[in-house]
Amino acid sequence: MKNKCESPASEGTTAQPRFHQRAAEIQAYGTVNHLLPLELEETVRLEMAAQLNQLLADTMTLRDLYKKSHWQVAGPTFYQLHLLFDKHFDEQVELVDSIAERIQLLGGISIAMAHDVAEMTRIERPPRGREAVPVQLSRLLDAHQVIIGQVRTLARRAGELGDDGANDLVVSEVLRRNELQAWFLSEHLVDAPLVHAEAVHAK
Ligand SMILES: [Fe+2]
């Protein structure tokens, strides 16, 4: 039977779009291109691509956790947290792109799809339902901690291997941004009075 997408051999150039095409991958996940003008050994690029993919999976998960929190937040601090969570989401989107493109420029392949992210991430899966603000904040901070811990290790390893670009990316962009976001979240978990200062008791 003739493939419905196949055009007749005699047709030559045609304006008919060719739908539903599939073919073998042009590069397998977990590999890097052999030759690139980067002055970095293939083994180094392989290791960095693998570690950056782990960081990518966790960063994509944190990004999505911010959107979940942005949508589902409730309570008296709704407005400020609704805005803050979305700001942090936007910043994590930028980090995701920087990490993914670093993997690609090293000759590797970035993970991209939610299925793969879900299999790889080390960040605890939250429930589908809504959680109270302190829990939302705690989950986000736990996720930052996972990422910050990995980034410190990755940065040292990138420095040892001579991948200065990866070292710079994860320190200057990923680490600094995550540290700052963690600070902004943490301050919301201080149990400070809103109206009445606590009385000072005489000794
Ligand atoms: Fe929104």
Side-chain angles (χ1 to χ4, degrees):
M1 196 177 103
K2 192 174 167 188
N3 185 319
K4 60 189 171 188
C5 292
E6 199 177 296
S7 57
S10 59
E11 270 185 18
T13 304
T14 170
Q16 172 59 50
R18 300 177 183 203
F19 298 118
H20 311 303
Q21 301 193 59
R22 300 286 187 279
E25 295 172 346
I26 60 171
Q27 184 184 350
Y29 178 77
T31 65
V32 292
N33 288 321
H34 295 301
L35 298 171
L36 289 176
L38 297 175
E39 298 293 318
L40 280 174
E41 296 285 340
E42 188 175 335
T43 52
V44 172
R45 294 187 287 109
L46 267 172
E47 183 176 336
M48 283 296 105
Q51 290 203 29
L52 287 166
N53 261 321
Q54 182 60 57
L55 180 62
L56 180 60
D58 293 333
T59 302
M60 291 167 93
T61 304
L62 176 57
R63 173 201 64 190
D64 295 346
L65 192 56
Y66 267 116
K67 202 54 132 176
K68 172 177 167 64
S69 305
H70 165 75
W71 292 327
Q72 298 180 355
V73 64
T77 55
F78 169 82
Y79 189 58
Q80 74 173 83
L81 286 178
H82 183 67
L83 297 184
L84 181 70
F85 290 156
D86 221 21
K87 178 176 183 287
H88 286 194
F89 169 86
D90 288 339
E91 292 167 354
Q92 291 293 331
V93 166
E94 287 180 20
L95 294 181
V96 163
D97 202 44
S98 297
I99 298 165
E101 291 181 357
R102 177 88 206 156
I103 295 164
Q104 293 293 144
L105 77 80
L106 287 170
I109 299 178
S110 309
I111 53 152
M113 301 306 293
H115 325 67
D116 301 314
V117 173
E119 285 175 5
M120 284 179 66
T121 187
R122 292 162 309 167
I123 292 170
E124 183 186 342
R125 180 177 179 169
R128 290 190 182 180
R130 231 169 166 186
E131 293 184 297
V133 164
V135 182
Q136 288 186 312
L137 291 167
S138 295
R139 283 193 187 282
L140 289 163
L141 281 163
D142 289 346
H144 278 296
Q145 192 170 2
V146 167
I147 288 171
I148 287 169
Q150 197 216 337
V151 163
R152 293 194 193 284
T153 306
L154 205 168
R156 277 192 291 274
R157 186 66 180 144
E160 281 169 17
L161 295 173
D163 188 349
D164 302 315
N167 175 279
D168 180 54
L169 167 69
V170 299
V171 173
S172 304
E173 293 187 41
V174 184
L175 179 61
R176 296 268 180 121
R177 184 58 60 187
N178 275 273
E179 286 176 332
L180 196 65
Q181 291 188 350
W183 175 46
F184 270 70
L185 297 184
S186 298
E187 296 298 347
H188 289 84
L189 288 172
V190 176
D191 195 8
L194 279 177
V195 178
H196 292 286
E198 286 184 30
V200 179
H201 299 291
K203 290 183 182 172

